Amino acid sequence: MRNSTYMKMALNMLLHSKLRSWLTIIGIVIGVGAVVGIISLGDAMEANVQSRLADMDLTKITISPGYSRAQSNMPGPGRGWGGGSTTDTELTDDDVSALQGIEGIAYITGEISGREEVTYTGETATLSITGVDPQVWQYMTTLETESGRMLKPSDKYVAVIGSGVASGIYDQDVGINQVVTINGKSVRIVGILAEEGGSEDRQIYMPIDAAVYVIEDAEEDVFDSITVKAQSEELVDSVVTKIEDKLMISRHIVREDDRDFSVTASKSMAESVTEMTDSITLFLGAIAAVSLLVGAVGIANTMFTSVLEKTKEIGTMKAIGAKNRDILMIFVYNSAMVGFVGGIFGVMLGGLVSALFPYLGVTLMRGGSGTSISLSPGLMTFGLTLAVLIGVISGAVPAYRASKLKPVDALRYE
């Protein structure tokens, strides 16, 4: 027989058992739709993470006061997150001085931060203020201005504000050279940062000397954090180790249990986020694979039933000259056709689910805003190929058994 004959006979089998075929196809539709939808979500999450990583400065290392005991059990340098009991002490200018001689450090600076009431045209809002060293900050930050300029070493009571502070908080937009009042001090705006998404857009950056006077509880030469920029991404791990060793010595700490500072590398955080995203995608994919497995069992069940129903027809076909290969191919084509139809509708379902993700509260990381998730041609092809492959594999055993039936036994079958 020709392939066109196999296909025609397989199509007839599909059309003559509509209800059973469609019930089987629904199983494949759900499985393929779940796989395609989850893979598309995973792809979008990975693209988002990569976009964020491209924006991040992976040479940045942050030193914070206090240390979580749980962190000591985490592997690798620059371990960042943890819980458990903590110790808490101040970071001072002495710590900065102690670290300045470490090989591999390009820049180092101390920063202070706080939340204060910021008044503009009679309206008051509580905003985050960060005091930075303008001489170093301009080389360490990856932020860029949308208008105006960055801070200069000669600046005093001036500020660079995020795009969210410039518009969206006050009734009137805050522009360049406008003056806001922070705890009774007038501060002139010299720059507005480009939109980043997230909390960065609601930040105010000031020279650290002026920030000490507008942030309550701030003290001179006492920092909320120390930021270090390594000379290259490859040196980050060794610089983190050297920082930890140096601070242990300079702060006269002998035992790990007495440690009172934390060192966090952006590179380690980025790797952790990437691993977490991959794990989530793998986990969801495994759940979707279960749906696909159920669909495959449904196809196999349908094909076994079909073989039983058509046993006499198989005997008749063999009696008039049909070969084992012909019977095998007819049933394989039939199961592949079930997979193909299920794959088409499954891909459509996956596309629909992907389009609905943002409306179902599934948001990606950039700014917490919904991000469009779309199917790529490669993913659609993969979904369709997977469905046909599942159909062929599920129908292989029933088709083989049908092909091995003896004509006499098949004709006698009741």
Side-chain angles (χ1 to χ4, degrees), residues 132-135 137-138 141 143-162 175-178 187-194 204-207:
V132 299
D133 181 352
Q135 196 163 9
W137 184 62
Q138 59 183 313
T141 184
L143 300 173
E144 295 180 354
T145 53
E146 184 178 85
S147 59
R149 62 172 176 82
M150 298 295 273
L151 299 174
K152 292 180 178 178
S154 58
D155 285 335
K156 185 73 173 177
Y157 289 104
V158 300
V160 172
I161 60 175
I176 302 297
N177 289 324
Q178 299 296 310
V187 177
R188 184 169 59 90
I189 307 303
V190 296
I192 298 173
L193 297 171
I204 295 177
Y205 293 93
M206 295 180 62

Side-chain angles (χ1 to χ4, degrees), residues 114-344:
R115 289 181 62 80
E116 301 296 336
E117 291 188 345
V118 182
T119 303
Y120 178 65
T121 60
E123 295 181 76
T124 300
T126 303
L127 300 174
S128 297
I129 300 170
T130 302
V132 299
D133 181 352
Q135 196 163 9
V136 181
W137 184 62
Q138 59 183 313
Y139 301 109
M140 298 185 68
T141 184
T142 56
L143 300 173
E144 295 180 354
T145 53
E146 184 178 85
S147 59
R149 62 172 176 82
M150 298 295 273
L151 299 174
K152 292 180 178 178
S154 58
D155 285 335
K156 185 73 173 177
Y157 289 104
V158 300
V160 172
I161 60 175
S163 59
V165 179
S167 58
I169 291 181
Y170 302 104
D171 288 342
Q172 295 183 30
D173 290 351
V174 184
I176 302 297
N177 289 324
Q178 299 296 310
V179 175
V180 298
T181 303
I182 307 174
N183 282 342
K185 304 284 192 307
S186 297
V187 177
R188 184 169 59 90
I189 307 303
V190 296
I192 298 173
L193 297 171
E195 184 177 356
E196 286 287 312
S199 59
E200 286 288 350
D201 291 341
R202 298 172 68 89
Q203 285 278 344
I204 295 177
Y205 293 93
M206 295 180 62
I208 191 167
D209 293 339
V212 168
Y213 290 99
V214 300
I215 297 176
E216 289 187 9
D217 303 327
E219 301 176 44
E220 287 191 40
D221 298 332
V222 176
F223 308 118
D224 293 309
S225 64
I226 296 174
T227 304
V228 173
K229 183 178 178 64
Q231 290 176 350
S232 69
E233 194 177 323
E234 290 73 25
L235 292 174
V236 167
D237 290 345
S238 65
V239 169
V240 167
T241 303
K242 292 174 183 175
I243 289 172
E244 290 174 338
D245 294 343
K246 192 75 174 181
L247 286 180
M248 292 286 277
I249 295 171
S250 66
R251 295 169 78 91
H252 307 293
I253 300 170
V254 178
R255 300 188 310 154
E256 184 74 16
D257 288 346
D258 296 330
R259 183 168 160 174
D260 57 3
F261 64 90
S262 301
V263 182
T264 306
S266 298
K267 180 183 172 184
S268 299
M269 294 175 63
E271 291 172 350
S272 298
V273 170
T274 302
E275 290 174 4
M276 184 175 65
T277 305
D278 291 343
S279 299
I280 292 173
T281 303
L282 186 63
F283 176 70
L284 295 177
I287 294 175
V290 173
S291 302
L292 205 56
L293 180 63
V294 173
V297 172
I299 291 180
N301 183 53
T302 300
M303 295 306 298
F304 275 118
T305 306
S306 182
V307 169
L308 291 176
E309 285 182 351
K310 297 184 179 300
T311 300
K312 279 197 172 183
E313 289 182 38
I314 293 170
T316 304
M317 292 173 66
K318 284 199 167 186
I320 61 176
K323 299 178 181 177
N324 289 353
R325 181 177 182 276
D326 296 330
I327 304 300
L328 177 75
M329 294 303 293
I330 289 170
F331 281 93
V332 167
Y333 266 76
N334 181 240
S335 59
M337 204 168 285
V338 170
F340 180 72
V341 175
I344 291 176

